[in-house]
Amino acid sequence: MVVGDASLDIDTLVIGAGPGGYTAAIRAAQLGQNVLIVDKGNVGGVCLNVGCIPSKALISAAHQYEAVSHGADIGIEAGDVKVDFGKVQQFKDGVVKKLTGGVGSLLKANKVQYFNGEVMFINANEARVFNDQEAPRYRFKNCIIATGSRPIELKAFPFTGRIISSTGALSLPEIPKSLVVIGGGYIGIELGQMYSKFGTKVTVIEGLDSILAGFDKEMAKLVEKKLKTKDVEIVTNAQAKSAEQTDNDVTVTYSVNGEDKQVTADYLLVTVGRRPNTDGELGLDLIDLKLTDRGYIEVDNQGRTSIPHIYAIGDIVAGPALAHKASYEAKVAAEAIAGLPSTVDYKCIPLVVFSDPECASVGYSEQEAKDKGHEVKIGKFPFNINGRALSLNATDGFVKIVSDANSGLVLGAQIAGLEASNLIAELALAIEMGATVEDVALTIHAHPTLGEISMEAAEVALGHPIHTIVK
């Protein structure tokens, strides 16, 4: 390793090249800053490499396999449908390669310097970046920390052998015959349901009384109902205690109502949350940056930390660990550095589970709106009387709009059903721009589309729906 003594000058140092980091670097460069971005992994971070993108590629493949295998209801019958999981993994890897390559090209086009390696703060204005070949020292005017998060590893269930994290679950060489999932949150449900569609016998062990905690209970029940059609066993109010591995399987001991039980499977997938990457060798202690007890970096509404010229975004600050939240915060931080009056406003962050059916939520739930003092009016419309949903044979789900009864303002929305992840954007925009349910109802929606369900839900809230009876 070659270590230079002189410091190189840079306007903005960005640590981490995930959706937050690379967005911050590009936006900062667009605003005229000389930017260096550093990441020890691949460009794109967890999301593009071992998270959002590869999981959705596998989920898409599982949906297609299920559609081909079970099309008899609409008169489509296939013969002996087989899965070449090696090719499925190649498809997934191809999607990842295309997107990460695209991000690399965007960084280059915006004249962002990229360094594949690690960072160690020397002081609040200097850092050493290093890999096996070199270790230059940089002096920076501003810094944006975007180091992301990693799966929480429990002492009783270390990630080794047949005990895997979400990262390991995305790279299995074969479709397991059986899988135990500890944690019924969005990651556990997405991956567990994906493998169940490929034929894996899945058992979900959840400590709370329902899967998908934090989402509308009716949404969770729809997903649970669909999981049970694939013989997925869901054990709630359960406490996972230990695991014993052999070369071929793993046996999990868990407790329900004080009674110990066991289940054996090919693999154990542990999805109990994520931990911010603020520990390790970054050297935050050397610059006396303020952290919370849980390891999150304290920031203001522009992402500014306790050291005014150092910013933090994404999974390492408070709030949900979402790629789109990180990208949003990235733009705010880069613009704040440039002196623009950008600040974060979290009232409109969509939450999405790529389950079957998909679930999406934005703004307030009905209870949250009431807790904030609103007199609430609900507009709800089901998928099963929408022409497009019927023609797609995808009738499970609903759109629920939460509005203020006096002003009509859209306060929140929950969608369960096909394409919920895309449909939620319209209602997020409605909240962002201060639209009313009347605005949504008066917007002409193309027919026949799933988007009409949002219009119909708005009409229910107004009391004059066309395609259902208000009781």
Side-chain angles (χ1 to χ4, degrees), residues 67-81:
V68 173
S69 301
H70 302 90
D73 289 347
I74 59 173
I76 307 297
E77 295 191 38
D80 186 16
V81 182

Side-chain angles (χ1 to χ4, degrees), residues 142-433:
N142 298 282
C143 177
I144 300 175
I145 306 173
T147 48
S149 62
R150 63 187 184 277
I152 291 175
E153 185 174 15
L154 302 175
K155 288 184 178 180
F157 307 101
F159 296 138
T160 180
R162 292 185 173 271
I163 302 177
I164 57 177
S165 67
S166 56
T167 300
L170 294 171
S171 300
L172 292 179
E174 76 289 324
I175 298 170
K177 293 180 180 179
S178 52
L179 175 71
V180 175
V181 181
I182 295 178
Y186 72 96
I187 296 175
I189 294 304
E190 285 184 358
L191 297 181
Q193 192 168 43
M194 177 268 290
Y195 275 114
S196 75
K197 287 176 179 286
F198 281 130
T200 302
K201 170 58 182 172
V202 176
T203 301
V204 177
I205 299 173
E206 169 57 47
L208 300 177
D209 61 2
S210 172
I211 62 171
L212 299 178
F215 279 82
D216 184 283
K217 292 289 186 182
E218 193 174 358
M219 286 179 170
K221 288 179 180 178
L222 280 174
V223 176
E224 184 173 342
K225 180 180 177 182
K226 189 61 179 283
L227 285 165
K228 288 180 177 178
T229 67
K230 290 296 181 182
D231 296 323
V232 174
E233 183 179 2
I234 300 172
V235 186
T236 55
N237 296 309
Q239 180 66 45
K241 298 175 70 175
S242 63
E244 295 292 335
Q245 297 190 59
T246 70
D247 291 339
N248 300 313
D249 56 33
V250 55
T251 298
V252 181
T253 299
Y254 63 95
S255 176
V256 181
N257 296 323
E259 180 183 356
D260 283 355
K261 298 185 178 183
Q262 291 187 326
V263 58
T264 299
D266 292 351
Y267 292 96
L268 167 61
L269 168 60
V270 181
T271 59
V272 293
R274 300 185 65 84
R275 175 173 287 115
N277 291 327
T278 53
D279 50 3
E281 300 179 355
L282 189 57
L284 297 184
D285 56 326
L286 299 178
I287 57 174
D288 198 27
L289 202 65
K290 287 186 179 179
L291 276 68
T292 69
D293 292 341
R294 298 182 61 192
Y296 294 101
I297 299 176
E298 295 183 2
V299 294
D300 66 9
N301 62 2
Q302 291 188 308
R304 189 179 290 104
T305 71
S306 56
I307 301 174
H309 64 281
I310 296 180
Y311 295 71
I313 60 173
D315 293 4
I316 57 173
V317 302
L322 300 169
H324 46 280
K325 169 180 169 287
S327 297
Y328 169 70
E329 292 168 343
K331 296 170 189 174
V332 170
E335 290 169 3
I337 288 172
L340 299 178
S342 297
T343 58
V344 296
D345 181 354
Y346 293 125
K347 73 177 181 180
C348 212
I349 304 176
L351 306 176
V352 178
V353 184
F354 289 86
S355 52
D356 183 8
E358 287 185 358
C359 297
S361 180
V362 69
Y364 293 150
S365 67
E366 181 177 355
Q367 188 58 53
E368 287 171 337
K370 290 178 179 178
D371 291 344
K372 293 290 184 179
H374 293 278
E375 182 182 346
V376 173
K377 184 71 174 178
I378 299 298
K380 184 179 176 184
F381 197 87
F383 271 54
N384 62 10
I385 51 177
N386 169 264
R388 182 60 173 159
L390 286 163
S391 68
L392 291 168
N393 195 32
T395 56
D396 290 337
F398 60 86
V399 172
K400 181 194 291 185
I401 298 177
V402 180
S403 66
D404 183 273
N406 298 310
S407 67
L409 282 173
V410 178
L411 303 173
Q414 293 81 45
I415 304 178
L418 184 68
E419 296 294 339
S421 56
N422 290 319
L423 295 173
I424 200 68
E426 175 184 7
L427 297 174
L429 177 62
I431 298 170
E432 182 66 35
M433 67 182 295

